[in-house]
Amino acid sequence: MSDRVYLTTPLYYVNAEPHLGHTYTTVLVDTVARFNRSMGREVVFQTGTDEHGDKIAEAAAAGNAQPRQYADRVAGIFRDTWDECGISYDHFIRTTDDYHVTFVRKMLARIHEKGDIYFGKYGGNYCTGCERFYADRELVDGKCPDHLVEPVWIEEENYFFRMSRYQNQLRQLLDDSPDLIRPAGYRNEVLGLLREPLEDLCISRPKSRLEWGIELPFDDNYVTYVWFDALLNYLSGLEHCRPKDSEAFWAEANHFIAKDILKPHAVFWPTMLLAADLPVYRHLNVHGYWNVGQSKMSKSLGNVIRPLEMRDRYGLEGFRYFLLREMVFGMDSAFTEDAFVTRFNADLSNGLGNLVSRVLAMQKRYFDGEVQTGGQRRPEDRELAAAFSEAETRAVEATEGLALHNALEEIWKALAATDKYIVETAPFKLWKDESAHTRVGTILETLCDALLHTARLIAPFMPETAARIGALLGVEIGPLAHPTPMWGKNFRKGHRVSEPARLFPRIETET
Ligand code: ME8
């Protein structure tokens, strides 16, 4: 891995407010960004909003607003939500930003000059939800498989991107870089699409039908919107915020999306880049869908999960933990409040939270909070250190491979080893024997070391919890790039830790 990485979320449509699905991708990329920073890499993390097109114009009209006014309001809600959730993005882009509009027009002109954009007449089945045409074979029972509605037949003169010309090059690219699209299941899906002839891509709308888009540089009667507009954000935003070294970041571009927008990202986008003589991104990382219970999340079903409501009810850290622990990257997951509460109580309240308060309580009770340094280590102490060292190696490897749920599982194995260490060394029993007090001090110092290691490992996943544990221990939590804190060397003589605190009060449910 290079020392620079560029990480992106999709640009979310402003016709809906942030929900569980948007939050998952954003929290996932935030975690990957924090992890990479902790590994000593320089990160650019970009998110933002997709604001042009029919859907947005319709939503604005429904609320009696001008599209721009409406987009300003909802883009603000997205940005504020991510700020309130502590998302560590470096750049927030809106497709209505001037620099982006200029960039899109420049790319359109370049590809048009090359002869890869032509004018033609076309009729086809259009899904407004997806903002793209569907070939008959892609429809299921005549309906868009994603939105389950019949597409509308649209026939008009428009501009087309000669995508078909790049079919072989794209196939070659997928052969040359087997990990371009991850996990492999989605790569295979794309290879499947490429077995059929690739159609050209309609990239315009006449202004007579849609004004809310970016005017074509070569025909002011037409606008472009959605895909030819939005996909270019990944480059326009990077060049805008890193004008001097955007190429180096682009070489390590990692897009994160859900499977719903696989085709635009795996087919439209790389062929657009090939046509513009630009290098293709490094990885397209595709995750599955969150369903709510057995159903798709939807406004009409009234089962939309909103991030700030979850924060107010349970706290953000628990929500982050659940999302990252529960979803296997690439697979679908079901969200239920019951599953959330069960995991929260088991892993956070009884698990991590209980361990932290137990260790600090013993430290307080036996030594008035003062860490007893310099004691003799025993094999069981070294075994616990080894469990953490193994957890670190495995968690780092799993996170690099996007198996974040495995990374957390590995860290929780180290927590289980710590609980077992407490049971087996039994400091609360030893304390009854005065001659064993020195040993109890060493056991507790080992446990404080374990908490420090825990904080360091969970920091990308639960940054606030890691910071709280660091503050309770009264020590800096170093990044993963620094040498691992040495057991028995982290606390100076006379150092005091804080009084115990409850990090994750148990969620009581009415039964
Ligand atoms: O498609 N489960 O925007 P969008 C998991 N503007 N992830 C989900 C999800 C769910 N149930 N629902 C949404 C667009 N997402 C275009 C993208 S990019 C240049 C333009 C997440 O608001 C997931 O990341 O419909 C998905 O790919 C994205 O939101 C779609 O967001």
Side-chain angles (χ1 to χ4, degrees), residues 10-13 19 21-22 25 50 234 258 260-261 287-290:
L11 294 200
Y12 305 118
Y13 285 131
H19 58 56
H22 308 125
T25 317
D50 187 357
Y234 297 132
D260 56 334
I261 48 179
H287 64 75
Y289 240 53
W290 279 99

Side-chain angles (χ1 to χ4, degrees), residues 441-471:
T442 307
I443 292 170
L444 288 180
E445 187 197 14
T446 307
L447 286 167
C448 287
D449 280 334
L451 295 186
L452 171 62
H453 277 82
T454 304
R456 186 166 171 270
L457 294 179
I458 63 170
F461 304 86
M462 290 191 283
E464 259 180 48
T465 306
R468 283 186 70 189
I469 297 175

Side-chain angles (χ1 to χ4, degrees), residues 121-400:
K121 195 174 169 105
Y122 179 78
N125 284 311
Y126 195 80
C127 171
T128 321
C130 299
E131 298 279 20
R132 71 175 180 91
F133 285 102
Y134 269 85
D136 285 344
R137 63 171 186 279
E138 287 182 286
L139 299 174
V140 176
D141 298 330
K143 292 182 176 164
C144 157
D146 199 13
H147 293 91
L148 307 178
V149 290
E150 280 182 21
V152 283
W153 181 261
I154 291 186
E155 194 172 302
E156 64 194 12
E157 284 191 303
N158 262 315
Y159 284 90
F160 289 84
F161 165 50
R162 228 181 271 284
M163 194 155 74
S164 53
R165 183 178 271 179
Y166 295 94
Q167 174 151 9
N168 290 338
Q169 252 176 286
L170 179 56
R171 197 176 300 126
Q172 190 62 48
L173 193 73
L174 285 163
D175 285 344
D176 295 346
S177 328
D179 61 353
L180 188 75
I181 301 174
R182 309 189 283 194
Y186 294 108
R187 171 178 188 265
N188 293 338
E189 208 174 308
V190 175
L191 286 171
L193 286 175
L194 292 177
R195 263 177 230 122
E196 306 281 342
L198 210 54
E199 67 285 17
D200 288 342
L201 182 67
C202 178
I203 60 161
S204 70
R205 279 283 169 282
K207 269 196 188 158
S208 54
R209 226 169 49 72
L210 176 78
E211 289 235 12
W212 185 233
I214 299 177
E215 197 174 272
L216 300 185
F218 41 82
D219 189 340
D220 57 12
N221 290 314
Y222 282 83
V223 293
T224 195
Y225 67 107
V226 183
W227 296 111
F228 216 92
D229 162 6
L231 288 164
L232 286 165
N233 90 82
Y234 297 132
L235 274 177
S236 69
L238 183 60
E239 284 193 9
H240 181 74
C241 70
R242 300 298 297 224
K244 296 211 179 79
D245 49 7
S246 63
E247 276 174 28
F249 279 100
W250 184 249
E252 283 299 326
N254 269 263
H255 299 316
F256 289 80
I257 59 166
K259 61 184 186 179
D260 56 334
I261 48 179
L262 177 63
K263 187 174 179 185
H265 282 80
V267 179
F268 304 176
W269 181 219
T271 53
M272 284 162 65
L273 288 164
L274 291 169
D277 297 314
L278 291 168
V280 170
Y281 50 75
R282 180 70 192 89
H283 292 296
L284 177 64
N285 305 299
V286 189
H287 64 75
Y289 240 53
W290 279 99
N291 296 313
V292 176
Q294 301 294 315
S295 335
K296 245 187 119 148
M297 189 171 32
S298 81
K299 249 190 198 167
S300 51
L301 289 177
N303 62 357
V304 177
I305 309 283
R306 304 208 174 277
L308 296 182
E309 285 170 17
M310 288 300 289
R311 177 198 62 177
D312 294 346
R313 228 172 319 152
Y314 304 115
L316 261 179
E317 296 278 286
F319 191 40
R320 278 178 80 108
Y321 176 78
F322 179 80
L323 296 182
L324 298 169
R325 176 66 185 79
E326 197 74 11
M327 185 171 257
V328 177
F329 196 81
M331 315 281 278
D332 290 350
S333 267
F335 183 93
T336 65
E337 208 134 331
D338 279 354
F340 172 82
V341 170
T342 304
R343 226 186 228 303
F344 183 100
N345 284 342
D347 296 3
L348 299 180
S349 195
N350 293 348
L352 177 59
N354 189 38
L355 178 65
V356 171
S357 65
R358 220 172 149 196
V359 171
L360 295 180
M362 287 194 279
Q363 192 71 70
K364 170 81 189 156
R365 192 172 331 126
Y366 303 147
F367 301 105
D368 197 26
E370 188 179 322
V371 181
Q372 307 297 296
T373 55
Q376 190 76 34
R377 303 281 135 174
R378 295 211 181 152
E380 56 270 35
D381 309 339
R382 284 190 285 273
E383 250 173 57
L384 185 62
F388 271 89
S389 151
E390 190 174 317
E392 179 163 337
T393 309
R394 293 195 175 173
V396 165
E397 198 181 292
T399 311
E400 300 276 20

